[in-house]
Amino acid sequence: MMERPKYILMIFRPCLSATKKALPDVKLMIGEPFVIREGSAVDDTWFPEFNQYQEMARKIADEFDAALVPYQQKFDQYSDDVDPTYWSADGVHPSLAELN
Protein backbone atom coordinates (compact mmCIF):
# COMPACT_ATOMS: atom_id res chain seq x y z
CA MET A 1 0.00 0.00 0.00
CA MET A 2 1.24 3.49 -0.86
CA GLU A 3 2.22 5.77 2.01
CA ARG A 4 -0.46 8.38 2.69
CA PRO A 5 1.79 11.43 2.13
CA LYS A 6 2.81 10.12 -1.31
CA TYR A 7 -0.80 9.28 -2.15
CA ILE A 8 -1.93 12.80 -1.25
CA LEU A 9 0.88 14.27 -3.35
CA MET A 10 -0.21 12.06 -6.25
CA ILE A 11 -3.67 13.69 -6.05
CA PHE A 12 -2.55 17.22 -5.16
CA ARG A 13 -0.07 17.64 -8.04
CA PRO A 14 -2.61 17.06 -10.89
CA CYS A 15 -5.09 19.38 -9.17
CA LEU A 16 -2.55 22.20 -9.03
CA SER A 17 -1.38 21.47 -12.60
CA ALA A 18 -4.95 21.73 -13.88
CA THR A 19 -5.46 24.96 -11.97
CA LYS A 20 -2.28 26.49 -13.42
CA LYS A 21 -3.27 25.36 -16.91
CA ALA A 22 -6.75 26.87 -16.64
CA LEU A 23 -5.55 30.01 -14.85
CA PRO A 24 -1.92 30.61 -15.89
CA ASP A 25 -1.62 33.86 -13.92
CA VAL A 26 -3.01 32.43 -10.69
CA LYS A 27 -0.87 32.88 -7.57
CA LEU A 28 -0.99 29.78 -5.42
CA MET A 29 -0.54 29.60 -1.65
CA ILE A 30 0.15 26.32 0.12
CA GLY A 31 -0.56 26.12 3.83
CA GLU A 32 1.95 24.03 5.73
CA PRO A 33 0.21 21.39 7.85
CA PHE A 34 0.64 22.11 11.54
CA VAL A 35 0.22 20.20 14.74
CA ILE A 36 0.21 21.21 18.38
CA ARG A 37 1.71 18.25 20.21
CA GLU A 38 -0.02 19.16 23.46
CA GLY A 39 -3.44 18.83 21.79
CA SER A 40 -5.87 16.15 22.90
CA ALA A 41 -5.98 14.39 19.50
CA VAL A 42 -2.21 14.24 18.93
CA ASP A 43 0.12 11.53 20.17
CA ASP A 44 3.45 10.00 19.20
CA THR A 45 1.84 7.79 16.54
CA TRP A 46 1.50 10.89 14.37
CA PHE A 47 5.25 11.01 13.89
CA PRO A 48 7.36 10.77 11.82
CA GLU A 49 4.63 10.53 9.14
CA PHE A 50 3.30 14.01 9.93
CA ASN A 51 6.69 15.54 9.16
CA GLN A 52 6.40 14.04 5.68
CA TYR A 53 3.22 16.05 5.10
CA GLN A 54 5.09 19.23 5.98
CA GLU A 55 7.93 18.31 3.64
CA MET A 56 5.40 17.52 0.91
CA ALA A 57 3.90 21.02 1.30
CA ARG A 58 7.35 22.62 0.92
CA LYS A 59 8.15 20.53 -2.17
CA ILE A 60 4.84 21.23 -3.88
CA ALA A 61 5.14 24.95 -3.12
CA ASP A 62 8.59 25.00 -4.72
CA GLU A 63 7.43 22.94 -7.68
CA PHE A 64 4.49 25.25 -8.42
CA ASP A 65 6.23 28.51 -7.46
CA ALA A 66 3.63 28.95 -4.75
CA ALA A 67 3.90 30.88 -1.52
CA LEU A 68 4.26 28.63 1.52
CA VAL A 69 2.42 29.72 4.67
CA PRO A 70 4.63 28.43 7.54
CA TYR A 71 1.89 27.62 10.04
CA GLN A 72 4.04 25.29 12.17
CA GLN A 73 6.75 27.91 12.64
CA LYS A 74 4.20 30.54 13.62
CA PHE A 75 2.30 28.32 16.06
CA ASP A 76 5.60 27.27 17.63
CA GLN A 77 6.73 30.90 17.88
CA TYR A 78 3.49 32.18 19.39
CA SER A 79 3.29 29.27 21.82
CA ASP A 80 6.32 30.69 23.65
CA ASP A 81 3.98 33.23 25.26
CA VAL A 82 0.84 31.15 25.90
CA ASP A 83 -0.11 27.54 26.52
CA PRO A 84 0.01 25.90 23.07
CA THR A 85 -3.54 24.58 23.47
CA TYR A 86 -4.71 28.21 23.41
CA TRP A 87 -4.26 27.97 19.63
CA SER A 88 -5.83 24.53 19.25
CA ALA A 89 -7.36 22.37 21.98
CA ASP A 90 -7.16 19.18 19.94
CA GLY A 91 -3.84 20.08 18.31
CA VAL A 92 -5.26 19.94 14.79
CA HIS A 93 -8.03 22.49 14.34
CA PRO A 94 -7.29 26.15 15.12
CA SER A 95 -9.29 27.78 17.86
CA LEU A 96 -10.88 31.22 17.62
CA ALA A 97 -8.01 32.63 19.70
CA GLU A 98 -6.88 34.97 16.95
CA LEU A 99 -10.24 36.76 17.17
CA ASN A 100 -9.55 37.86 20.76
Side-chain angles (χ1 to χ4, degrees):
M1 176 175 259
M2 184 180 296
E3 292 179 55
R4 283 184 293 191
K6 289 181 182 177
Y7 177 74
I8 289 172
L9 189 58
M10 187 177 81
I11 294 169
F12 202 31
R13 187 175 279 126
C15 179
L16 294 177
S17 293
T19 300
K20 290 289 276 187
K21 184 176 181 180
L23 303 165
D25 295 326
V26 72
K27 304 295 183 206
L28 299 172
M29 293 181 71
I30 305 296
E32 175 189 41
F34 74 90
V35 67
I36 305 219
R37 289 183 181 251
E38 295 82 358
S40 62
V42 180
D43 61 28
D44 289 340
T45 63
W46 283 51
F47 303 92
E49 184 178 61
F50 187 81
N51 303 94
Q52 293 174 20
Y53 290 107
Q54 292 175 317
E55 180 60 29
M56 176 189 69
R58 287 188 286 275
K59 284 181 181 179
I60 205 84
D62 284 344
E63 183 178 331
F64 285 89
D65 195 29
L68 179 70
V69 182
Y71 289 121
Q72 188 68 59
Q73 174 190 354
K74 292 301 179 184
F75 278 115
D76 291 347
Q77 176 186 349
Y78 296 136
S79 291
D80 287 344
D81 298 326
V82 297
D83 183 304
T85 58
Y86 175 76
W87 303 114
S88 172
D90 67 1
V92 182
H93 302 96
S95 70
L96 298 177
E98 69 277 1
L99 298 178
N100 294 330

